[in-house]
Amino acid sequence: MPMENKPASVRKTGDEPDLSWQSGFLQQIRNPATPAAVLQDLFLPPFEAGLNLYRNSQTALRRQVLGRAYPVVRELIGDACFFQLAGDFAAVNPSLSGDLHEYGEQFAGFLQQCAWLAEYPYLPAVAALEWKLHCLYYAAQTSLLTLPVLVQQCAGDVVQLMNVQLRFSANASLLRTKGNSAQIWLWHSRGQTGSLQWSDAPCYAAISRPEWLPVVTELSEEEYRCLQALSEGQTLGSALGLLLDGAALSAEHYIQQLMRWMALGLFDVQTQG
């Protein structure tokens, strides 16, 4: 396109082109009430129909992206309500990255601030859980620790085994919330019928990816405290002492507990100590 035929807004002024029209275009897409003077210099009128195509495409894309990241939240409140929230969320949280997998991180906090959702206190917690799962789905794979490998690293020495510091997996995290958000998520993700009543009792869970898909596993309070201690660098012996408040347990019980955690993919191969 010859320079003399280009709109004034994109002609070069000195060494750099004037790209202010881009911000004006984005503002028009996000807010139709924005003055459209800059666009009149770019497009022949009427251009509102073309802008509406962009807006509708953006709306559909945001719904699709948020719907994939928060499928259980969408199921809990229904499409109409979810799409309304998606539009409201986008108005104050526009996408700032070319990677749409990163869009929606603030959704749980946004739900928390919605006064009209106060009668659904579980929604923000379920959304926070789903965002962790969403990020974990796209995370890089790590080498997970197994019990035979751990025993080999410790040369079969029980004392050395109890003094080892396990490395919590980069693809695992612990969750503690007020209310049974993990139970609600598991109930709906498994397609169970009926409804599960909301409870204010604390909820403990582990989020991990032992194979290709992320999983949510409910934990007892003792398990949570033990795993939290391990994630903070305590030795295996010290952490296992938190099970059942230090009650005497058999070696077989400890081994079964370790096997359960390792099957969940909670620890990476490297160890410290």
Side-chain angles (χ1 to χ4, degrees), residues 4 42 156 204:
E4 60 271 15
L42 288 173
Y204 305 94

Side-chain angles (χ1 to χ4, degrees), residues 4-183:
E4 60 271 15
N5 293 333
K6 287 186 177 180
S9 301
V10 295
R11 293 177 190 164
K12 285 191 175 183
T13 55
D15 295 331
E16 297 296 331
D18 178 9
L19 299 179
S20 60
W21 65 273
Q22 291 184 341
S23 61
F25 180 73
L26 288 175
Q27 290 173 11
Q28 264 289 315
I29 294 298
R30 294 170 181 167
N31 182 9
T34 302
V38 66
L39 301 181
Q40 294 174 358
D41 193 34
L42 288 173
F43 306 105
L44 294 174
F47 50 78
E48 188 61 31
L51 288 175
N52 282 333
L53 288 176
Y54 277 100
R55 291 191 192 104
N56 292 338
S57 176
Q58 288 279 307
T59 298
L61 186 59
R62 286 193 297 264
R63 290 176 176 177
Q64 182 182 48
V65 170
L66 284 180
R68 287 178 177 176
Y70 299 98
V72 171
V73 171
R74 177 176 175 176
E75 181 180 330
L76 285 169
I77 60 179
D79 284 350
C81 183
F82 186 84
F83 292 160
Q84 178 63 51
L85 286 170
D88 295 343
F89 174 76
V92 294
N93 293 278
S95 176
L96 301 178
S97 170
D99 185 353
L100 288 176
H101 294 147
E102 299 177 3
Y103 180 66
E105 181 178 3
Q106 301 85 7
F107 195 55
F110 173 80
L111 296 179
Q112 186 74 53
Q113 299 301 316
C114 290
W116 60 279
L117 290 176
E119 60 183 298
Y120 308 105
Y122 49 85
L123 282 180
V126 173
L129 170 60
E130 291 208 282
W131 183 253
K132 285 179 177 288
L133 291 167
H134 172 76
C135 293
L136 186 53
Y137 181 85
Y138 294 101
Q141 185 66 24
T142 61
S143 298
L144 299 176
L145 181 65
T146 63
L147 187 58
V149 170
L150 177 60
V151 171
Q152 183 180 17
Q153 289 176 342
C154 297
D157 187 325
V158 175
V159 174
Q160 188 176 347
L161 179 63
M162 290 297 101
N163 287 329
V164 79
Q165 290 174 281
L166 298 177
R167 179 180 176 183
F168 218 72
S169 176
N171 286 344
S173 60
L174 301 174
L175 184 72
R176 181 186 187 278
T177 62
K178 180 182 179 181
N180 55 341
S181 57
Q183 292 177 342

